[in-house]
Amino acid sequence: MTDEDPTCSATGAPDVVASRRGGAKDDPKPASPVAGGRRVLLRRLVRASLAVVGVLVVIAAGASIWAWTVSAGHIETAGDDDTTRAPVAIVLGAAVHADGRPSPWLAHRLDTAADLYTSGRVEAILVSGDNRRVGYDEPTVMRDYLTSKGIPRQAVALDYAGFDTYDTCVRARRIFGIERALLVTQDFHEPRAVAICRSVGVSVDGVGDPRARADRIGWAVSWTRERLATIKAVTDVLSRRDPTLGRRETSVAEAIMWTQEHRR
């Protein structure tokens, strides 16, 4: 027995050591606490982002439903045989080029307003746009474009503080005294614009220009952007914020009177 004990120990020990070494190689490497924390944080950020996006989608959908509901039955497509009339057409401003030309979409709006005037559906045109910085004057460019199309200068009134759609609508009522109007802009913009104006006390019907649809990508981007802009519209209407105001103006009433006196 004394001769066999050392033999057993000699042959058994390597097996035990090898077994332990082999087991050590098979054991997975412990995960780094830092890496694990980063994964948890990333998952939380993803969930939070999805939640925020979900809330925005719900809010945007609700705002859009509001705009479509309020404007329902009050929008026509430019060029249709519609006989809706009003004392004045309000043209919402848009970008103008440095050389004094209106951007294509603004030109479409102005062409639509010119048609409304020459067809006798309105007696004056209010051009409302941005004139906040030196060298940039949307209303003047809009008036000059209309006069180049044969619209009498005396029939055009200018609103230099139409910084956004809400401002234009509020100023139309409180500064220019407009109670009834046809509102001219692109068709994708009409539901929001009409809803805002009607919510602040101006009885408008929208005349939407559809020619922007020719630029499919631009139209789709603008339509999508409208969903977010409608959220701001609801906020403005509910808050009843005051835009830039000032003294009451009689230019729209004077333009209407001039047309009534000179139109045959």
Side-chain angles (χ1 to χ4, degrees):
M1 291 295 297
T2 52
D3 292 338
E4 293 177 0
D5 287 343
T7 303
C8 292
S9 299
T11 56
D15 293 339
V16 173
V17 172
S19 176
R20 289 176 179 173
R21 287 177 179 171
K25 290 180 180 179
D26 294 337
D27 289 341
K29 186 177 180 180
S32 168
V34 174
R38 287 175 179 171
R39 284 195 293 270
V40 171
L41 178 59
L42 180 60
R43 284 196 294 268
R44 289 177 178 174
L45 287 174
V46 170
R47 290 171 182 168
S49 299
L50 291 175
V52 170
V53 171
V55 170
L56 284 175
V57 168
V58 171
I59 294 175
S64 295
I65 290 171
W66 164 78
W68 291 327
T69 300
V70 174
S71 64
H74 298 288
I75 297 176
E76 67 174 85
T77 300
D80 289 353
D81 293 330
D82 200 295
T83 58
T84 304
R85 295 172 179 266
V88 58
I90 301 173
V91 186
L92 298 175
V96 299
H97 299 308
D99 62 1
R101 292 182 300 110
S103 58
W105 287 11
L106 180 56
H108 293 334
R109 300 179 189 184
L110 295 167
D111 289 338
T112 298
D115 290 342
L116 292 174
Y117 183 85
T118 55
S119 66
R121 292 179 58 186
V122 300
E123 297 171 328
I125 300 174
L126 174 66
V127 292
S128 179
D130 193 344
N131 181 222
R132 276 177 289 194
R133 64 182 188 271
V134 176
Y136 187 79
D137 186 350
E138 290 178 5
T140 298
V141 170
M142 295 163 76
R143 180 197 61 197
D144 292 347
Y145 182 89
L146 286 170
T147 57
S148 74
K149 296 294 182 179
I151 304 302
R153 189 184 186 92
Q154 298 89 336
V156 183
L158 285 72
D159 175 13
Y160 291 102
F163 302 137
D164 62 19
T165 304
Y166 177 83
D167 289 12
T168 293
C169 292
V170 172
R171 285 177 55 80
R173 184 70 183 90
R174 296 171 62 180
I175 300 300
F176 295 93
I178 297 174
E179 297 180 357
R180 174 85 181 108
L182 299 182
L183 188 64
V184 182
T185 184
Q186 265 67 49
D187 55 358
F188 63 79
H189 185 195
E190 284 289 5
R192 174 168 65 94
V194 169
I196 291 173
C197 273
R198 296 187 74 85
S199 295
V200 300
V202 184
S203 177
V204 299
D205 284 288
V207 181
D209 182 85
R211 283 169 284 185
R213 291 175 180 266
D215 178 6
R216 294 184 179 181
I217 295 177
W219 190 93
V221 170
S222 297
W223 187 93
T224 303
R225 188 174 58 190
E226 275 294 300
R227 308 287 68 78
L228 296 178
T230 305
I231 298 176
K232 178 181 179 299
V234 173
T235 302
D236 286 338
V237 168
L238 291 177
S239 67
R240 296 287 176 178
R241 70 170 176 83
D242 284 333
T244 300
L245 293 173
R247 62 181 178 82
R248 288 289 296 267
E249 294 195 22
T250 59
S251 54
V252 170
E254 291 168 1
I256 293 172
M257 186 178 301
W258 185 92
T259 297
Q260 290 174 342
E261 292 176 351
H262 291 82
R263 176 174 277 168
R264 294 180 177 84

